[in-house]
Amino acid sequence: MTKKVLKFEIELDFVLIAINTPLKDYRVCHFINKYLNFNFKKQPDLAVDIYQGITEPALFSIYHYVWENTETDFYFIANKGSDGLLIPEMREVDYFFMIKNFIDDTDLNNVISQLNRIPEIMAAVKIEPKKIKSRENLLF
């Protein structure tokens, strides 16, 4: 009897920016709202089963904003949650800035440069989601 192996690859249709800052999530969102003219709103905490059923799901702070004209969704997500890290292999990252749906390279570069101009943000760098081992934690 022959074996058939099915390969399944998750499509990651978002852009991810890693942010380092010592500030609390609500303060960072305040500065992003101020400098980028966004309107991030706090959402119910994101529950992620980072330990695959061994313990209760960990809770991570999350904020959301939409560009109405292009239907681009922006999420600001804490990497440090109630019981661990959202992306454990990136423990030096404090927050993730996720952009779902279409954003062109010019807009993306503008967002990254504006984030880096905020004095309270030490660094904002685009990262490739496909290179992250625990990328499934970012699917919601």
Side-chain angles (χ1 to χ4, degrees), residues 66-110:
V66 176
W67 274 351
E68 296 293 335
N69 56 343
T70 61
E71 297 181 5
T72 302
D73 288 300
F74 297 90
Y75 294 93
F76 183 79
I77 310 163
N79 191 30
K80 295 168 179 76
S82 60
D83 286 329
L85 296 171
L86 182 64
I87 307 297
E89 62 269 22
M90 301 189 83
R91 53 178 69 257
E92 68 280 352
V93 174
D94 297 310
Y95 301 100
F96 293 103
F97 191 93
M98 179 187 290
I99 305 169
K100 287 188 175 183
N101 299 330
F102 178 77
I103 186 166
D104 65 19
D105 288 337
T106 305
D107 287 341
L108 177 61
N109 291 332
N110 284 339

Short mmCIF file of all heavy atoms in Angstrom, two decimals, residues 66-110:
data_model
loop_
_atom_site.label_atom_id
_atom_site.label_comp_id
_atom_site.label_asym_id
_atom_site.label_seq_id
_atom_site.Cartn_x
_atom_site.Cartn_y
_atom_site.Cartn_z
N VAL A 66 -9.23 50.53 11.17
CA VAL A 66 -9.48 50.23 9.75
C VAL A 66 -9.37 51.52 8.94
O VAL A 66 -9.92 52.55 9.33
CB VAL A 66 -10.89 49.64 9.55
CG1 VAL A 66 -11.17 49.41 8.07
CG2 VAL A 66 -11.06 48.36 10.31
N TRP A 67 -8.65 51.44 7.81
CA TRP A 67 -8.72 52.49 6.80
C TRP A 67 -9.96 52.19 5.98
O TRP A 67 -9.99 51.23 5.21
CB TRP A 67 -7.50 52.45 5.89
CG TRP A 67 -6.31 53.20 6.37
CD1 TRP A 67 -6.22 54.04 7.42
CD2 TRP A 67 -4.99 53.17 5.78
NE1 TRP A 67 -4.95 54.53 7.54
CE2 TRP A 67 -4.18 54.01 6.55
CE3 TRP A 67 -4.44 52.51 4.70
CZ2 TRP A 67 -2.84 54.22 6.25
CZ3 TRP A 67 -3.11 52.70 4.41
CH2 TRP A 67 -2.32 53.55 5.17
N GLU A 68 -11.00 52.99 6.15
CA GLU A 68 -12.27 52.72 5.50
C GLU A 68 -12.18 52.70 3.98
O GLU A 68 -12.78 51.84 3.33
CB GLU A 68 -13.33 53.76 5.93
CG GLU A 68 -13.66 53.72 7.41
CD GLU A 68 -14.37 52.46 7.84
OE1 GLU A 68 -15.04 51.83 6.98
OE2 GLU A 68 -14.26 52.09 9.01
N ASN A 69 -11.42 53.63 3.40
CA ASN A 69 -11.39 53.74 1.93
C ASN A 69 -10.72 52.54 1.26
O ASN A 69 -11.06 52.20 0.12
CB ASN A 69 -10.73 55.04 1.49
CG ASN A 69 -9.34 55.22 2.05
OD1 ASN A 69 -8.96 54.55 3.00
ND2 ASN A 69 -8.56 56.11 1.47
N THR A 70 -9.78 51.86 1.92
CA THR A 70 -9.11 50.71 1.31
C THR A 70 -9.44 49.40 2.04
O THR A 70 -8.98 48.34 1.62
CB THR A 70 -7.58 50.89 1.32
OG1 THR A 70 -7.14 50.99 2.68
CG2 THR A 70 -7.15 52.09 0.51
N GLU A 71 -10.19 49.49 3.13
CA GLU A 71 -10.55 48.33 3.95
C GLU A 71 -9.31 47.59 4.48
O GLU A 71 -9.31 46.37 4.62
CB GLU A 71 -11.47 47.38 3.20
CG GLU A 71 -12.80 48.01 2.86
CD GLU A 71 -13.74 47.07 2.12
OE1 GLU A 71 -13.40 45.88 1.95
OE2 GLU A 71 -14.81 47.53 1.72
N THR A 72 -8.26 48.34 4.72
CA THR A 72 -7.04 47.77 5.29
C THR A 72 -7.20 47.75 6.81
O THR A 72 -7.53 48.76 7.42
CB THR A 72 -5.81 48.61 4.89
OG1 THR A 72 -5.74 48.67 3.47
CG2 THR A 72 -4.54 48.02 5.44
N ASP A 73 -6.95 46.58 7.40
CA ASP A 73 -7.06 46.42 8.85
C ASP A 73 -5.68 46.52 9.49
O ASP A 73 -4.73 45.90 9.01
CB ASP A 73 -7.65 45.05 9.20
CG ASP A 73 -9.12 44.96 8.87
OD1 ASP A 73 -9.89 45.76 9.42
OD2 ASP A 73 -9.49 44.08 8.06
N PHE A 74 -5.61 47.25 10.58
CA PHE A 74 -4.38 47.39 11.35
C PHE A 74 -4.64 46.83 12.75
O PHE A 74 -5.65 47.14 13.36
CB PHE A 74 -3.96 48.86 11.47
CG PHE A 74 -3.64 49.51 10.16
CD1 PHE A 74 -4.63 50.14 9.42
CD2 PHE A 74 -2.35 49.49 9.65
CE1 PHE A 74 -4.34 50.74 8.21
CE2 PHE A 74 -2.05 50.08 8.44
CZ PHE A 74 -3.05 50.71 7.72
N TYR A 75 -3.70 46.01 13.21
CA TYR A 75 -3.80 45.45 14.55
C TYR A 75 -2.50 45.75 15.30
O TYR A 75 -1.42 45.64 14.74
CB TYR A 75 -4.00 43.93 14.51
CG TYR A 75 -5.32 43.52 13.90
CD1 TYR A 75 -5.41 43.23 12.55
CD2 TYR A 75 -6.46 43.42 14.69
CE1 TYR A 75 -6.62 42.85 11.98
CE2 TYR A 75 -7.67 43.04 14.13
CZ TYR A 75 -7.74 42.76 12.77
OH TYR A 75 -8.94 42.40 12.23
N PHE A 76 -2.66 46.11 16.56
CA PHE A 76 -1.52 46.33 17.44
C PHE A 76 -1.64 45.28 18.54
O PHE A 76 -2.61 45.28 19.31
CB PHE A 76 -1.56 47.76 18.01
CG PHE A 76 -0.39 48.09 18.87
CD1 PHE A 76 0.82 48.43 18.31
CD2 PHE A 76 -0.50 48.05 20.25
CE1 PHE A 76 1.92 48.74 19.10
CE2 PHE A 76 0.58 48.37 21.05
CZ PHE A 76 1.79 48.70 20.48
N ILE A 77 -0.69 44.34 18.58
CA ILE A 77 -0.80 43.17 19.45
C ILE A 77 0.41 43.09 20.37
O ILE A 77 1.55 43.21 19.92
CB ILE A 77 -0.87 41.87 18.61
CG1 ILE A 77 -1.92 42.01 17.51
CG2 ILE A 77 -1.15 40.67 19.49
CD1 ILE A 77 -1.79 40.99 16.41
N ALA A 78 0.16 42.85 21.65
CA ALA A 78 1.25 42.67 22.62
C ALA A 78 1.89 41.30 22.43
O ALA A 78 1.19 40.31 22.21
CB ALA A 78 0.72 42.80 24.04
N ASN A 79 3.20 41.23 22.48
CA ASN A 79 3.90 39.95 22.40
C ASN A 79 3.91 39.27 23.77
O ASN A 79 3.93 38.06 23.86
CB ASN A 79 5.33 40.14 21.89
CG ASN A 79 6.00 38.82 21.55
OD1 ASN A 79 5.35 37.86 21.14
ND2 ASN A 79 7.31 38.77 21.70
N LYS A 80 3.87 40.04 24.83
CA LYS A 80 3.87 39.48 26.17
C LYS A 80 2.44 39.45 26.69
O LYS A 80 1.76 40.46 26.74
CB LYS A 80 4.76 40.33 27.08
CG LYS A 80 6.22 40.26 26.66
CD LYS A 80 7.07 41.31 27.36
CE LYS A 80 8.51 41.22 26.94
NZ LYS A 80 8.80 41.74 25.64
N GLY A 81 1.99 38.24 27.05
CA GLY A 81 0.62 38.07 27.50
C GLY A 81 0.53 37.59 28.93
O GLY A 81 1.50 37.64 29.69
N SER A 82 -0.63 37.06 29.28
CA SER A 82 -0.89 36.64 30.66
C SER A 82 -0.03 35.43 31.07
O SER A 82 0.34 35.31 32.24
CB SER A 82 -2.37 36.30 30.82
OG SER A 82 -2.75 35.26 29.93
N ASP A 83 0.26 34.54 30.13
CA ASP A 83 1.00 33.31 30.48
C ASP A 83 2.18 33.02 29.57
O ASP A 83 2.55 31.86 29.42
CB ASP A 83 0.05 32.11 30.45
CG ASP A 83 -0.89 32.09 31.63
OD1 ASP A 83 -0.49 32.57 32.71
OD2 ASP A 83 -2.02 31.61 31.47
N GLY A 84 2.72 34.01 28.91
CA GLY A 84 3.86 33.73 28.04
C GLY A 84 3.93 34.67 26.87
O GLY A 84 3.32 35.74 26.88
N LEU A 85 4.67 34.25 25.86
CA LEU A 85 4.89 35.09 24.68
C LEU A 85 4.06 34.58 23.50
O LEU A 85 3.95 33.37 23.29
CB LEU A 85 6.37 35.07 24.29
CG LEU A 85 7.34 35.67 25.32
CD1 LEU A 85 8.77 35.39 24.91
CD2 LEU A 85 7.11 37.15 25.44
N LEU A 86 3.51 35.51 22.75
CA LEU A 86 2.76 35.17 21.55
C LEU A 86 3.67 34.50 20.53
O LEU A 86 3.34 33.48 19.94
CB LEU A 86 2.12 36.44 20.96
CG LEU A 86 1.25 36.26 19.73
CD1 LEU A 86 0.03 35.42 20.05
CD2 LEU A 86 0.82 37.62 19.19
N ILE A 87 4.84 35.08 20.32
CA ILE A 87 5.87 34.53 19.43
C ILE A 87 7.11 34.30 20.28
O ILE A 87 7.96 35.18 20.43
CB ILE A 87 6.17 35.50 18.25
CG1 ILE A 87 4.89 35.91 17.52
CG2 ILE A 87 7.18 34.88 17.30
CD1 ILE A 87 4.16 34.75 16.86
N PRO A 88 7.25 33.10 20.86
CA PRO A 88 8.34 32.84 21.82
C PRO A 88 9.73 33.02 21.25
O PRO A 88 10.65 33.41 21.97
CB PRO A 88 8.13 31.37 22.22
CG PRO A 88 6.76 31.02 21.79
CD PRO A 88 6.37 31.95 20.70
N GLU A 89 9.93 32.76 19.96
CA GLU A 89 11.28 32.90 19.40
C GLU A 89 11.68 34.36 19.19
O GLU A 89 12.81 34.64 18.83
CB GLU A 89 11.42 32.11 18.09
CG GLU A 89 10.52 32.55 16.98
CD GLU A 89 9.18 31.82 16.93
OE1 GLU A 89 8.74 31.28 17.96
OE2 GLU A 89 8.57 31.82 15.87
N MET A 90 10.76 35.28 19.43
CA MET A 90 11.06 36.71 19.30
C MET A 90 10.83 37.41 20.63
O MET A 90 10.07 38.37 20.73
CB MET A 90 10.20 37.33 18.18
CG MET A 90 10.42 36.67 16.83
SD MET A 90 9.61 37.54 15.51
CE MET A 90 10.83 38.79 15.18
N ARG A 91 11.50 36.94 21.65
CA ARG A 91 11.26 37.48 22.99
C ARG A 91 11.72 38.92 23.17
O ARG A 91 11.29 39.59 24.10
CB ARG A 91 11.83 36.58 24.08
CG ARG A 91 13.23 36.16 24.03
CD ARG A 91 13.64 35.30 25.25
NE ARG A 91 13.08 33.98 25.35
CZ ARG A 91 12.07 33.63 26.16
NH1 ARG A 91 11.51 34.52 26.93
NH2 ARG A 91 11.63 32.40 26.21
N GLU A 92 12.57 39.41 22.29
CA GLU A 92 13.02 40.81 22.40
C GLU A 92 11.99 41.80 21.86
O GLU A 92 12.09 43.00 22.08
CB GLU A 92 14.36 41.01 21.70
CG GLU A 92 14.32 40.89 20.19
CD GLU A 92 14.31 39.45 19.66
OE1 GLU A 92 14.48 38.51 20.45
OE2 GLU A 92 14.11 39.29 18.45
N VAL A 93 10.97 41.31 21.15
CA VAL A 93 9.94 42.16 20.57
C VAL A 93 8.84 42.41 21.61
O VAL A 93 8.35 41.48 22.25
CB VAL A 93 9.33 41.52 19.30
CG1 VAL A 93 8.16 42.32 18.78
CG2 VAL A 93 10.40 41.37 18.23
N ASP A 94 8.45 43.69 21.76
CA ASP A 94 7.41 44.03 22.72
C ASP A 94 6.01 43.95 22.11
O ASP A 94 5.07 43.49 22.75
CB ASP A 94 7.65 45.45 23.26
CG ASP A 94 8.95 45.54 24.03
OD1 ASP A 94 9.18 44.70 24.92
OD2 ASP A 94 9.75 46.45 23.73
N TYR A 95 5.87 44.43 20.86
CA TYR A 95 4.56 44.48 20.21
C TYR A 95 4.70 44.14 18.73
O TYR A 95 5.77 44.29 18.14
CB TYR A 95 3.95 45.88 20.33
CG TYR A 95 3.76 46.32 21.76
CD1 TYR A 95 4.68 47.17 22.37
CD2 TYR A 95 2.68 45.88 22.51
CE1 TYR A 95 4.52 47.57 23.68
CE2 TYR A 95 2.52 46.28 23.83
CZ TYR A 95 3.43 47.12 24.41
OH TYR A 95 3.28 47.50 25.71
N PHE A 96 3.58 43.73 18.15
CA PHE A 96 3.50 43.51 16.72
C PHE A 96 2.45 44.43 16.12
O PHE A 96 1.38 44.61 16.70
CB PHE A 96 3.15 42.04 16.40
CG PHE A 96 4.21 41.09 16.78
CD1 PHE A 96 4.10 40.31 17.91
CD2 PHE A 96 5.36 40.97 16.00
CE1 PHE A 96 5.10 39.42 18.27
CE2 PHE A 96 6.37 40.09 16.36
CZ PHE A 96 6.23 39.31 17.50
N PHE A 97 2.77 45.01 14.99
CA PHE A 97 1.87 45.88 14.23
C PHE A 97 1.54 45.07 12.98
O PHE A 97 2.39 44.90 12.12
CB PHE A 97 2.60 47.18 13.89
CG PHE A 97 1.74 48.27 13.35
CD1 PHE A 97 1.18 49.22 14.19
CD2 PHE A 97 1.50 48.37 11.99
CE1 PHE A 97 0.40 50.24 13.68
CE2 PHE A 97 0.73 49.38 11.47
CZ PHE A 97 0.18 50.33 12.33
N MET A 98 0.32 44.54 12.92
CA MET A 98 -0.09 43.68 11.82
C MET A 98 -0.99 44.45 10.86
O MET A 98 -1.89 45.16 11.30
CB MET A 98 -0.84 42.46 12.36
CG MET A 98 -1.33 41.51 11.28
SD MET A 98 -2.36 40.21 11.94
CE MET A 98 -1.18 39.25 12.83
N ILE A 99 -0.73 44.29 9.56
CA ILE A 99 -1.54 44.96 8.54
C ILE A 99 -2.14 43.88 7.66
O ILE A 99 -1.41 43.13 6.99
CB ILE A 99 -0.69 45.92 7.69
CG1 ILE A 99 0.03 46.93 8.58
CG2 ILE A 99 -1.56 46.63 6.66
CD1 ILE A 99 1.09 47.75 7.89
N LYS A 100 -3.47 43.78 7.67
CA LYS A 100 -4.17 42.79 6.85
C LYS A 100 -4.84 43.49 5.69
O LYS A 100 -5.24 44.64 5.79
CB LYS A 100 -5.23 42.06 7.67
CG LYS A 100 -4.67 41.08 8.66
CD LYS A 100 -5.77 40.27 9.29
CE LYS A 100 -5.20 39.21 10.19
NZ LYS A 100 -6.26 38.36 10.76
N ASN A 101 -5.03 42.74 4.63
CA ASN A 101 -5.59 43.23 3.36
C ASN A 101 -4.54 44.05 2.64
O ASN A 101 -3.40 44.13 3.05
CB ASN A 101 -6.91 43.98 3.55
CG ASN A 101 -7.97 43.09 4.18
OD1 ASN A 101 -7.97 41.89 3.99
ND2 ASN A 101 -8.87 43.69 4.93
N PHE A 102 -4.92 44.70 1.61
CA PHE A 102 -3.94 45.34 0.73
C PHE A 102 -3.32 46.60 1.32
O PHE A 102 -4.01 47.45 1.87
CB PHE A 102 -4.60 45.69 -0.61
CG PHE A 102 -3.67 46.39 -1.55
CD1 PHE A 102 -2.71 45.68 -2.24
CD2 PHE A 102 -3.73 47.74 -1.72
CE1 PHE A 102 -1.84 46.32 -3.11
CE2 PHE A 102 -2.87 48.40 -2.57
CZ PHE A 102 -1.92 47.68 -3.27
N ILE A 103 -2.02 46.69 1.21
CA ILE A 103 -1.30 47.95 1.45
C ILE A 103 -0.13 47.95 0.47
O ILE A 103 0.58 46.96 0.34
CB ILE A 103 -0.82 48.10 2.92
CG1 ILE A 103 -0.22 49.49 3.13
CG2 ILE A 103 0.15 47.02 3.29
CD1 ILE A 103 -0.02 49.86 4.58
N ASP A 104 0.02 49.05 -0.25
CA ASP A 104 1.12 49.08 -1.23
C ASP A 104 2.43 49.42 -0.53
O ASP A 104 2.46 49.83 0.62
CB ASP A 104 0.81 50.03 -2.39
CG ASP A 104 0.69 51.49 -1.98
OD1 ASP A 104 1.19 51.86 -0.90
OD2 ASP A 104 0.12 52.26 -2.76
N ASP A 105 3.52 49.21 -1.24
CA ASP A 105 4.85 49.39 -0.65
C ASP A 105 5.10 50.82 -0.19
O ASP A 105 5.75 51.05 0.83
CB ASP A 105 5.94 48.96 -1.64
CG ASP A 105 5.99 47.45 -1.80
OD1 ASP A 105 5.54 46.73 -0.88
OD2 ASP A 105 6.48 46.99 -2.84
N THR A 106 4.57 51.79 -0.92
CA THR A 106 4.75 53.19 -0.54
C THR A 106 4.08 53.48 0.79
O THR A 106 4.69 54.08 1.69
CB THR A 106 4.18 54.13 -1.62
OG1 THR A 106 4.79 53.80 -2.87
CG2 THR A 106 4.44 55.58 -1.29
N ASP A 107 2.82 53.03 0.94
CA ASP A 107 2.11 53.23 2.21
C ASP A 107 2.81 52.48 3.35
O ASP A 107 2.93 53.00 4.46
CB ASP A 107 0.66 52.75 2.10
CG ASP A 107 -0.21 53.69 1.28
OD1 ASP A 107 0.19 54.87 1.10
OD2 ASP A 107 -1.28 53.25 0.81
N LEU A 108 3.26 51.27 3.07
CA LEU A 108 3.95 50.48 4.09
C LEU A 108 5.23 51.18 4.55
O LEU A 108 5.49 51.31 5.75
CB LEU A 108 4.27 49.09 3.57
CG LEU A 108 5.06 48.19 4.51
CD1 LEU A 108 4.29 47.95 5.80
CD2 LEU A 108 5.39 46.88 3.83
N ASN A 109 6.03 51.65 3.62
CA ASN A 109 7.26 52.37 3.97
C ASN A 109 6.96 53.64 4.74
O ASN A 109 7.70 53.99 5.67
CB ASN A 109 8.08 52.66 2.73
CG ASN A 109 8.67 51.40 2.12
OD1 ASN A 109 8.91 50.43 2.83
ND2 ASN A 109 8.89 51.41 0.82
N ASN A 110 5.87 54.33 4.39
CA ASN A 110 5.47 55.53 5.14
C ASN A 110 5.09 55.18 6.57
O ASN A 110 5.47 55.88 7.51
CB ASN A 110 4.30 56.24 4.45
CG ASN A 110 4.74 57.02 3.24
OD1 ASN A 110 5.90 57.38 3.08
ND2 ASN A 110 3.79 57.28 2.34
#
